[in-house]
Amino acid sequence: MRGWLGSAAAVAALVVVLLGVLYADAGRPGSLDARILAAVEGVGPRARDVALATDFLGEPVGAAALVAVVVAGCLLLRRPRAAVLVVGGVGLAVVTTKLLKHLVGRTIHGDENLSYPSGHTAFLTALALVVTLLATGRAGLGRTAGTTLVLLVALAAGVAMGWAQVVLGAHYPTDAVGGWFTALAVIPATAWAVDRVADSVRRKVR
């Protein structure tokens, strides 16, 4: 899957940059945002409860718990390299969104609330990408089937968290899109870097 995911990462990085340029220093929704916001306006209390529960997964406590569970699973399966990818890849995806927020300067509900790209969406998408990458590799799925499954699961995670952020008014829809593509750009690159470092260390030990 490396070739396909590498190409997807390059395209994703380009999309993140283009959206960042398009919405730089903006403090209002774009035309696409406005249409999506109108569609989700007035959701009921049950939908908001679901959105709040989903949002919690991207908050510090919820995110730390999810990462800890996945890392523990990797270590139990004797996959230390996978555990490094979980922490490094997901962490780097979140850090990247924080840096991009200051570079782009898009705001929501006031100048102090930087919004592009969505860190919550990037977090859950990145974690879904890593977990599915590890699962498909362990299951021995082929390149086409494995890549398709990885992207579908990542899309589901991104849509779920992105929807929650929009419903709660924390982000514009295009912020969520930017968060999704940020994760798609960062995780394959991090996986490649982890493999290179781990392989280098293994050769030196031998």
mmCIF file of all heavy atoms in Angstrom, residues 54-103:
data_model
loop_
_atom_site.group_PDB
_atom_site.id
_atom_site.type_symbol
_atom_site.label_atom_id
_atom_site.label_comp_id
_atom_site.label_asym_id
_atom_site.label_seq_id
_atom_site.Cartn_x
_atom_site.Cartn_y
_atom_site.Cartn_z
ATOM 1 N N THR A 54 -19.024 12.239 20.684
ATOM 2 C CA THR A 54 -17.982 12.098 19.663
ATOM 3 C C THR A 54 -16.875 13.119 19.880
ATOM 4 O O THR A 54 -15.685 12.800 19.773
ATOM 5 C CB THR A 54 -18.585 12.281 18.262
ATOM 6 O OG1 THR A 54 -19.675 11.367 18.091
ATOM 7 C CG2 THR A 54 -17.547 12.023 17.181
ATOM 8 N N ASP A 55 -17.257 14.334 20.200
ATOM 9 C CA ASP A 55 -16.288 15.398 20.461
ATOM 10 C C ASP A 55 -15.354 15.026 21.612
ATOM 11 O O ASP A 55 -14.161 15.344 21.578
ATOM 12 C CB ASP A 55 -17.027 16.692 20.784
ATOM 13 C CG ASP A 55 -16.091 17.818 21.182
ATOM 14 O OD1 ASP A 55 -15.416 18.358 20.305
ATOM 15 O OD2 ASP A 55 -16.028 18.135 22.391
ATOM 16 N N PHE A 56 -15.898 14.341 22.621
ATOM 17 C CA PHE A 56 -15.088 13.954 23.782
ATOM 18 C C PHE A 56 -13.905 13.079 23.377
ATOM 19 O O PHE A 56 -12.839 13.130 23.997
ATOM 20 C CB PHE A 56 -15.952 13.207 24.799
ATOM 21 C CG PHE A 56 -15.174 12.667 25.971
ATOM 22 C CD1 PHE A 56 -14.709 13.519 26.958
ATOM 23 C CD2 PHE A 56 -14.875 11.316 26.060
ATOM 24 C CE1 PHE A 56 -13.971 13.029 28.034
ATOM 25 C CE2 PHE A 56 -14.142 10.813 27.130
ATOM 26 C CZ PHE A 56 -13.690 11.667 28.115
ATOM 27 N N LEU A 57 -14.072 12.301 22.313
ATOM 28 C CA LEU A 57 -12.983 11.435 21.855
ATOM 29 C C LEU A 57 -11.774 12.238 21.378
ATOM 30 O O LEU A 57 -10.665 11.706 21.333
ATOM 31 C CB LEU A 57 -13.479 10.525 20.721
ATOM 32 C CG LEU A 57 -14.624 9.570 21.069
ATOM 33 C CD1 LEU A 57 -15.052 8.787 19.839
ATOM 34 C CD2 LEU A 57 -14.225 8.640 22.198
ATOM 35 N N GLY A 58 -12.010 13.491 21.016
ATOM 36 C CA GLY A 58 -10.909 14.341 20.581
ATOM 37 C C GLY A 58 -10.404 15.286 21.641
ATOM 38 O O GLY A 58 -9.427 16.007 21.420
ATOM 39 N N GLU A 59 -11.062 15.290 22.805
ATOM 40 C CA GLU A 59 -10.602 16.097 23.931
ATOM 41 C C GLU A 59 -9.411 15.407 24.603
ATOM 42 O O GLU A 59 -9.220 14.195 24.433
ATOM 43 C CB GLU A 59 -11.736 16.290 24.932
ATOM 44 C CG GLU A 59 -12.879 17.160 24.412
ATOM 45 C CD GLU A 59 -12.428 18.591 24.163
ATOM 46 O OE1 GLU A 59 -11.764 19.169 25.041
ATOM 47 O OE2 GLU A 59 -12.735 19.118 23.073
ATOM 48 N N PRO A 60 -8.613 16.137 25.377
ATOM 49 C CA PRO A 60 -7.396 15.540 25.950
ATOM 50 C C PRO A 60 -7.615 14.219 26.683
ATOM 51 O O PRO A 60 -6.874 13.253 26.470
ATOM 52 C CB PRO A 60 -6.899 16.641 26.898
ATOM 53 C CG PRO A 60 -7.361 17.900 26.259
ATOM 54 C CD PRO A 60 -8.702 17.582 25.665
ATOM 55 N N VAL A 61 -8.625 14.147 27.544
ATOM 56 C CA VAL A 61 -8.848 12.915 28.314
ATOM 57 C C VAL A 61 -9.279 11.772 27.401
ATOM 58 O O VAL A 61 -8.733 10.660 27.464
ATOM 59 C CB VAL A 61 -9.908 13.143 29.416
ATOM 60 C CG1 VAL A 61 -10.235 11.827 30.117
ATOM 61 C CG2 VAL A 61 -9.402 14.162 30.433
ATOM 62 N N GLY A 62 -10.268 12.034 26.553
ATOM 63 C CA GLY A 62 -10.741 10.989 25.647
ATOM 64 C C GLY A 62 -9.678 10.548 24.662
ATOM 65 O O GLY A 62 -9.509 9.349 24.402
ATOM 66 N N ALA A 63 -8.938 11.515 24.111
ATOM 67 C CA ALA A 63 -7.891 11.185 23.145
ATOM 68 C C ALA A 63 -6.788 10.367 23.797
ATOM 69 O O ALA A 63 -6.297 9.380 23.225
ATOM 70 C CB ALA A 63 -7.319 12.467 22.547
ATOM 71 N N ALA A 64 -6.376 10.772 25.003
ATOM 72 C CA ALA A 64 -5.324 10.035 25.701
ATOM 73 C C ALA A 64 -5.752 8.605 25.998
ATOM 74 O O ALA A 64 -4.955 7.667 25.879
ATOM 75 C CB ALA A 64 -4.966 10.750 27.002
ATOM 76 N N ALA A 65 -7.026 8.439 26.372
ATOM 77 C CA ALA A 65 -7.526 7.088 26.660
ATOM 78 C C ALA A 65 -7.521 6.223 25.407
ATOM 79 O O ALA A 65 -7.106 5.055 25.448
ATOM 80 C CB ALA A 65 -8.937 7.174 27.239
ATOM 81 N N LEU A 66 -7.956 6.781 24.279
ATOM 82 C CA LEU A 66 -7.960 6.012 23.033
ATOM 83 C C LEU A 66 -6.548 5.607 22.624
ATOM 84 O O LEU A 66 -6.299 4.451 22.252
ATOM 85 C CB LEU A 66 -8.601 6.841 21.917
ATOM 86 C CG LEU A 66 -10.121 6.916 21.877
ATOM 87 C CD1 LEU A 66 -10.571 7.836 20.744
ATOM 88 C CD2 LEU A 66 -10.722 5.532 21.688
ATOM 89 N N VAL A 67 -5.629 6.560 22.680
ATOM 90 C CA VAL A 67 -4.244 6.267 22.297
ATOM 91 C C VAL A 67 -3.646 5.220 23.228
ATOM 92 O O VAL A 67 -2.943 4.299 22.790
ATOM 93 C CB VAL A 67 -3.403 7.557 22.308
ATOM 94 C CG1 VAL A 67 -1.923 7.230 22.153
ATOM 95 C CG2 VAL A 67 -3.849 8.489 21.189
ATOM 96 N N ALA A 68 -3.921 5.332 24.527
ATOM 97 C CA ALA A 68 -3.381 4.370 25.493
ATOM 98 C C ALA A 68 -3.884 2.961 25.206
ATOM 99 O O ALA A 68 -3.117 1.990 25.283
ATOM 100 C CB ALA A 68 -3.765 4.788 26.913
ATOM 101 N N VAL A 69 -5.154 2.834 24.865
ATOM 102 C CA VAL A 69 -5.716 1.517 24.564
ATOM 103 C C VAL A 69 -5.056 0.919 23.326
ATOM 104 O O VAL A 69 -4.684 -0.264 23.306
ATOM 105 C CB VAL A 69 -7.239 1.625 24.356
ATOM 106 C CG1 VAL A 69 -7.795 0.327 23.765
ATOM 107 C CG2 VAL A 69 -7.938 1.924 25.682
ATOM 108 N N VAL A 70 -4.893 1.740 22.287
ATOM 109 C CA VAL A 70 -4.290 1.236 21.047
ATOM 110 C C VAL A 70 -2.819 0.877 21.267
ATOM 111 O O VAL A 70 -2.344 -0.169 20.786
ATOM 112 C CB VAL A 70 -4.436 2.272 19.917
ATOM 113 C CG1 VAL A 70 -3.728 1.780 18.656
ATOM 114 C CG2 VAL A 70 -5.907 2.526 19.618
ATOM 115 N N VAL A 71 -2.100 1.710 21.985
ATOM 116 C CA VAL A 71 -0.685 1.423 22.268
ATOM 117 C C VAL A 71 -0.560 0.141 23.083
ATOM 118 O O VAL A 71 0.307 -0.708 22.819
ATOM 119 C CB VAL A 71 -0.027 2.604 23.007
ATOM 120 C CG1 VAL A 71 1.339 2.203 23.559
ATOM 121 C CG2 VAL A 71 0.119 3.791 22.075
ATOM 122 N N ALA A 72 -1.435 -0.026 24.088
ATOM 123 C CA ALA A 72 -1.401 -1.245 24.894
ATOM 124 C C ALA A 72 -1.656 -2.476 24.027
ATOM 125 O O ALA A 72 -0.997 -3.513 24.193
ATOM 126 C CB ALA A 72 -2.450 -1.159 26.003
ATOM 127 N N GLY A 73 -2.593 -2.359 23.083
ATOM 128 C CA GLY A 73 -2.851 -3.470 22.177
ATOM 129 C C GLY A 73 -1.643 -3.803 21.320
ATOM 130 O O GLY A 73 -1.323 -4.981 21.113
ATOM 131 N N CYS A 74 -0.956 -2.768 20.826
ATOM 132 C CA CYS A 74 0.250 -2.992 20.022
ATOM 133 C C CYS A 74 1.328 -3.711 20.824
ATOM 134 O O CYS A 74 1.992 -4.633 20.324
ATOM 135 C CB CYS A 74 0.790 -1.657 19.507
ATOM 136 S SG CYS A 74 -0.259 -0.831 18.300
ATOM 137 N N LEU A 75 1.512 -3.296 22.064
ATOM 138 C CA LEU A 75 2.549 -3.907 22.903
ATOM 139 C C LEU A 75 2.183 -5.341 23.273
ATOM 140 O O LEU A 75 3.063 -6.212 23.323
ATOM 141 C CB LEU A 75 2.758 -3.065 24.160
ATOM 142 C CG LEU A 75 3.299 -1.641 23.915
ATOM 143 C CD1 LEU A 75 3.424 -0.884 25.220
ATOM 144 C CD2 LEU A 75 4.649 -1.700 23.185
ATOM 145 N N LEU A 76 0.911 -5.591 23.517
ATOM 146 C CA LEU A 76 0.475 -6.959 23.812
ATOM 147 C C LEU A 76 0.700 -7.880 22.624
ATOM 148 O O LEU A 76 0.993 -9.067 22.793
ATOM 149 C CB LEU A 76 -1.002 -6.971 24.207
ATOM 150 C CG LEU A 76 -1.334 -6.432 25.610
ATOM 151 C CD1 LEU A 76 -2.835 -6.349 25.797
ATOM 152 C CD2 LEU A 76 -0.706 -7.314 26.686
ATOM 153 N N LEU A 77 0.564 -7.321 21.430
ATOM 154 C CA LEU A 77 0.792 -8.108 20.216
ATOM 155 C C LEU A 77 2.266 -8.114 19.805
ATOM 156 O O LEU A 77 2.606 -8.615 18.735
ATOM 157 C CB LEU A 77 -0.050 -7.539 19.064
ATOM 158 C CG LEU A 77 -1.570 -7.686 19.218
ATOM 159 C CD1 LEU A 77 -2.295 -6.903 18.129
ATOM 160 C CD2 LEU A 77 -1.973 -9.159 19.173
ATOM 161 N N ARG A 78 3.124 -7.548 20.658
ATOM 162 C CA ARG A 78 4.565 -7.476 20.403
ATOM 163 C C ARG A 78 4.876 -6.703 19.111
ATOM 164 O O ARG A 78 5.665 -7.141 18.276
ATOM 165 C CB ARG A 78 5.180 -8.883 20.340
ATOM 166 C CG ARG A 78 5.004 -9.674 21.637
ATOM 167 C CD ARG A 78 5.557 -11.085 21.480
ATOM 168 N NE ARG A 78 5.345 -11.881 22.669
ATOM 169 C CZ ARG A 78 6.178 -11.954 23.697
ATOM 170 N NH1 ARG A 78 7.283 -11.242 23.671
ATOM 171 N NH2 ARG A 78 5.899 -12.719 24.738
ATOM 172 N N ARG A 79 4.232 -5.549 18.981
ATOM 173 C CA ARG A 79 4.446 -4.679 17.827
ATOM 174 C C ARG A 79 4.916 -3.295 18.295
ATOM 175 O O ARG A 79 4.188 -2.316 18.233
ATOM 176 C CB ARG A 79 3.157 -4.527 17.017
ATOM 177 C CG ARG A 79 2.557 -5.828 16.522
ATOM 178 C CD ARG A 79 3.447 -6.478 15.504
ATOM 179 N NE ARG A 79 2.827 -7.679 14.932
ATOM 180 C CZ ARG A 79 3.463 -8.545 14.165
ATOM 181 N NH1 ARG A 79 4.746 -8.340 13.887
ATOM 182 N NH2 ARG A 79 2.840 -9.597 13.683
ATOM 183 N N PRO A 80 6.144 -3.217 18.805
ATOM 184 C CA PRO A 80 6.618 -1.918 19.318
ATOM 185 C C PRO A 80 6.693 -0.849 18.239
ATOM 186 O O PRO A 80 6.468 0.336 18.515
ATOM 187 C CB PRO A 80 7.997 -2.254 19.883
ATOM 188 C CG PRO A 80 8.417 -3.497 19.181
ATOM 189 C CD PRO A 80 7.159 -4.279 18.949
ATOM 190 N N ARG A 81 7.016 -1.253 17.005
ATOM 191 C CA ARG A 81 7.078 -0.272 15.928
ATOM 192 C C ARG A 81 5.700 0.344 15.688
ATOM 193 O O ARG A 81 5.582 1.542 15.436
ATOM 194 C CB ARG A 81 7.594 -0.935 14.648
ATOM 195 C CG ARG A 81 7.853 0.041 13.525
ATOM 196 C CD ARG A 81 8.277 -0.621 12.244
ATOM 197 N NE ARG A 81 9.472 -1.437 12.372
ATOM 198 C CZ ARG A 81 10.208 -1.866 11.354
ATOM 199 N NH1 ARG A 81 9.861 -1.525 10.110
ATOM 200 N NH2 ARG A 81 11.263 -2.617 11.544
ATOM 201 N N ALA A 82 4.671 -0.485 15.791
ATOM 202 C CA ALA A 82 3.303 0.006 15.624
ATOM 203 C C ALA A 82 2.943 0.977 16.737
ATOM 204 O O ALA A 82 2.282 1.995 16.504
ATOM 205 C CB ALA A 82 2.317 -1.168 15.614
ATOM 206 N N ALA A 83 3.374 0.669 17.955
ATOM 207 C CA ALA A 83 3.098 1.565 19.080
ATOM 208 C C ALA A 83 3.747 2.929 18.863
ATOM 209 O O ALA A 83 3.152 3.978 19.164
ATOM 210 C CB ALA A 83 3.604 0.938 20.381
ATOM 211 N N VAL A 84 4.962 2.930 18.328
ATOM 212 C CA VAL A 84 5.648 4.193 18.024
ATOM 213 C C VAL A 84 4.879 4.974 16.969
ATOM 214 O O VAL A 84 4.724 6.201 17.058
ATOM 215 C CB VAL A 84 7.086 3.924 17.557
ATOM 216 C CG1 VAL A 84 7.743 5.214 17.047
ATOM 217 C CG2 VAL A 84 7.907 3.327 18.684
ATOM 218 N N LEU A 85 4.360 4.272 15.964
ATOM 219 C CA LEU A 85 3.595 4.930 14.909
ATOM 220 C C LEU A 85 2.321 5.550 15.466
ATOM 221 O O LEU A 85 1.934 6.652 15.069
ATOM 222 C CB LEU A 85 3.256 3.933 13.800
ATOM 223 C CG LEU A 85 2.366 4.473 12.670
ATOM 224 C CD1 LEU A 85 3.021 5.668 11.990
ATOM 225 C CD2 LEU A 85 2.078 3.371 11.656
ATOM 226 N N VAL A 86 1.670 4.849 16.383
ATOM 227 C CA VAL A 86 0.444 5.383 16.985
ATOM 228 C C VAL A 86 0.735 6.708 17.676
ATOM 229 O O VAL A 86 0.080 7.731 17.426
ATOM 230 C CB VAL A 86 -0.169 4.382 17.988
ATOM 231 C CG1 VAL A 86 -1.318 5.032 18.749
ATOM 232 C CG2 VAL A 86 -0.647 3.132 17.274
ATOM 233 N N VAL A 87 1.719 6.702 18.552
ATOM 234 C CA VAL A 87 2.033 7.911 19.318
ATOM 235 C C VAL A 87 2.602 8.998 18.410
ATOM 236 O O VAL A 87 2.156 10.157 18.439
ATOM 237 C CB VAL A 87 3.019 7.591 20.451
ATOM 238 C CG1 VAL A 87 3.420 8.862 21.190
ATOM 239 C CG2 VAL A 87 2.399 6.593 21.427
ATOM 240 N N GLY A 88 3.586 8.629 17.603
ATOM 241 C CA GLY A 88 4.242 9.620 16.755
ATOM 242 C C GLY A 88 3.346 10.151 15.659
ATOM 243 O O GLY A 88 3.278 11.371 15.441
ATOM 244 N N GLY A 89 2.642 9.256 14.974
ATOM 245 C CA GLY A 89 1.802 9.686 13.859
ATOM 246 C C GLY A 89 0.624 10.522 14.295
ATOM 247 O O GLY A 89 0.373 11.612 13.752
ATOM 248 N N VAL A 90 -0.104 10.030 15.292
ATOM 249 C CA VAL A 90 -1.272 10.769 15.769
ATOM 250 C C VAL A 90 -0.845 12.089 16.409
ATOM 251 O O VAL A 90 -1.455 13.136 16.174
ATOM 252 C CB VAL A 90 -2.075 9.911 16.769
ATOM 253 C CG1 VAL A 90 -3.206 10.718 17.381
ATOM 254 C CG2 VAL A 90 -2.634 8.668 16.067
ATOM 255 N N GLY A 91 0.220 12.041 17.195
ATOM 256 C CA GLY A 91 0.706 13.266 17.817
ATOM 257 C C GLY A 91 1.145 14.298 16.798
ATOM 258 O O GLY A 91 0.843 15.490 16.924
ATOM 259 N N LEU A 92 1.838 13.844 15.759
ATOM 260 C CA LEU A 92 2.316 14.769 14.733
ATOM 261 C C LEU A 92 1.155 15.365 13.945
ATOM 262 O O LEU A 92 1.195 16.541 13.564
ATOM 263 C CB LEU A 92 3.269 14.044 13.786
ATOM 264 C CG LEU A 92 3.959 14.900 12.716
ATOM 265 C CD1 LEU A 92 4.732 16.041 13.373
ATOM 266 C CD2 LEU A 92 4.886 14.045 11.866
ATOM 267 N N ALA A 93 0.110 14.573 13.716
ATOM 268 C CA ALA A 93 -1.063 15.093 13.004
ATOM 269 C C ALA A 93 -1.704 16.231 13.790
ATOM 270 O O ALA A 93 -2.076 17.271 13.232
ATOM 271 C CB ALA A 93 -2.068 13.973 12.769
ATOM 272 N N VAL A 94 -1.826 16.045 15.109
ATOM 273 C CA VAL A 94 -2.433 17.085 15.951
ATOM 274 C C VAL A 94 -1.543 18.321 16.016
ATOM 275 O O VAL A 94 -2.018 19.457 15.907
ATOM 276 C CB VAL A 94 -2.711 16.534 17.360
ATOM 277 C CG1 VAL A 94 -3.188 17.647 18.287
ATOM 278 C CG2 VAL A 94 -3.748 15.416 17.302
ATOM 279 N N VAL A 95 -0.247 18.121 16.188
ATOM 280 C CA VAL A 95 0.686 19.250 16.242
ATOM 281 C C VAL A 95 0.659 20.028 14.925
ATOM 282 O O VAL A 95 0.711 21.267 14.913
ATOM 283 C CB VAL A 95 2.112 18.760 16.552
ATOM 284 C CG1 VAL A 95 3.125 19.878 16.345
ATOM 285 C CG2 VAL A 95 2.191 18.242 17.978
ATOM 286 N N THR A 96 0.566 19.315 13.816
ATOM 287 C CA THR A 96 0.509 19.968 12.509
ATOM 288 C C THR A 96 -0.705 20.874 12.395
ATOM 289 O O THR A 96 -0.622 21.994 11.871
ATOM 290 C CB THR A 96 0.488 18.921 11.388
ATOM 291 O OG1 THR A 96 1.670 18.118 11.467
ATOM 292 C CG2 THR A 96 0.437 19.594 10.017
ATOM 293 N N THR A 97 -1.864 20.407 12.896
ATOM 294 C CA THR A 97 -3.059 21.261 12.834
ATOM 295 C C THR A 97 -2.876 22.519 13.685
ATOM 296 O O THR A 97 -3.327 23.598 13.297
ATOM 297 C CB THR A 97 -4.318 20.507 13.312
ATOM 298 O OG1 THR A 97 -4.187 20.127 14.687
ATOM 299 C CG2 THR A 97 -4.569 19.273 12.462
ATOM 300 N N LYS A 98 -2.216 22.382 14.819
ATOM 301 C CA LYS A 98 -2.011 23.560 15.670
ATOM 302 C C LYS A 98 -1.098 24.580 14.981
ATOM 303 O O LYS A 98 -1.349 25.795 15.045
ATOM 304 C CB LYS A 98 -1.408 23.134 17.011
ATOM 305 C CG LYS A 98 -2.382 22.328 17.882
ATOM 306 C CD LYS A 98 -1.776 22.032 19.233
ATOM 307 C CE LYS A 98 -2.740 21.236 20.102
ATOM 308 N NZ LYS A 98 -4.002 21.984 20.370
ATOM 309 N N LEU A 99 -0.069 24.091 14.330
ATOM 310 C CA LEU A 99 0.823 25.004 13.609
ATOM 311 C C LEU A 99 0.101 25.663 12.437
ATOM 312 O O LEU A 99 0.243 26.875 12.202
ATOM 313 C CB LEU A 99 2.044 24.234 13.107
ATOM 314 C CG LEU A 99 2.995 23.696 14.177
ATOM 315 C CD1 LEU A 99 4.085 22.843 13.535
ATOM 316 C CD2 LEU A 99 3.616 24.837 14.981
ATOM 317 N N LEU A 100 -0.685 24.881 11.715
ATOM 318 C CA LEU A 100 -1.400 25.425 10.565
ATOM 319 C C LEU A 100 -2.437 26.459 10.980
ATOM 320 O O LEU A 100 -2.676 27.438 10.256
ATOM 321 C CB LEU A 100 -2.078 24.291 9.792
ATOM 322 C CG LEU A 100 -1.151 23.387 8.978
ATOM 323 C CD1 LEU A 100 -1.910 22.192 8.424
ATOM 324 C CD2 LEU A 100 -0.522 24.180 7.838
ATOM 325 N N LYS A 101 -3.059 26.263 12.130
ATOM 326 C CA LYS A 101 -4.047 27.243 12.598
ATOM 327 C C LYS A 101 -3.425 28.624 12.732
ATOM 328 O O LYS A 101 -4.024 29.634 12.343
ATOM 329 C CB LYS A 101 -4.636 26.793 13.936
ATOM 330 C CG LYS A 101 -5.667 25.687 13.810
ATOM 331 C CD LYS A 101 -6.191 25.261 15.170
ATOM 332 C CE LYS A 101 -7.222 24.156 15.008
ATOM 333 N NZ LYS A 101 -7.744 23.676 16.303
ATOM 334 N N HIS A 102 -2.232 28.684 13.272
ATOM 335 C CA HIS A 102 -1.563 29.977 13.436
ATOM 336 C C HIS A 102 -1.086 30.534 12.091
ATOM 337 O O HIS A 102 -1.077 31.756 11.891
ATOM 338 C CB HIS A 102 -0.389 29.832 14.395
ATOM 339 C CG HIS A 102 -0.813 29.617 15.815
ATOM 340 N ND1 HIS A 102 -1.241 30.636 16.628
ATOM 341 C CD2 HIS A 102 -0.896 28.475 16.567
ATOM 342 C CE1 HIS A 102 -1.560 30.162 17.826
ATOM 343 N NE2 HIS A 102 -1.353 28.856 17.814
ATOM 344 N N LEU A 103 -0.714 29.661 11.177
ATOM 345 C CA LEU A 103 -0.275 30.122 9.864
ATOM 346 C C LEU A 103 -1.440 30.634 9.026
ATOM 347 O O LEU A 103 -1.336 31.665 8.353
ATOM 348 C CB LEU A 103 0.427 28.983 9.124
ATOM 349 C CG LEU A 103 1.825 28.588 9.620
ATOM 350 C CD1 LEU A 103 2.305 27.348 8.887
ATOM 351 C CD2 LEU A 103 2.798 29.743 9.425
#
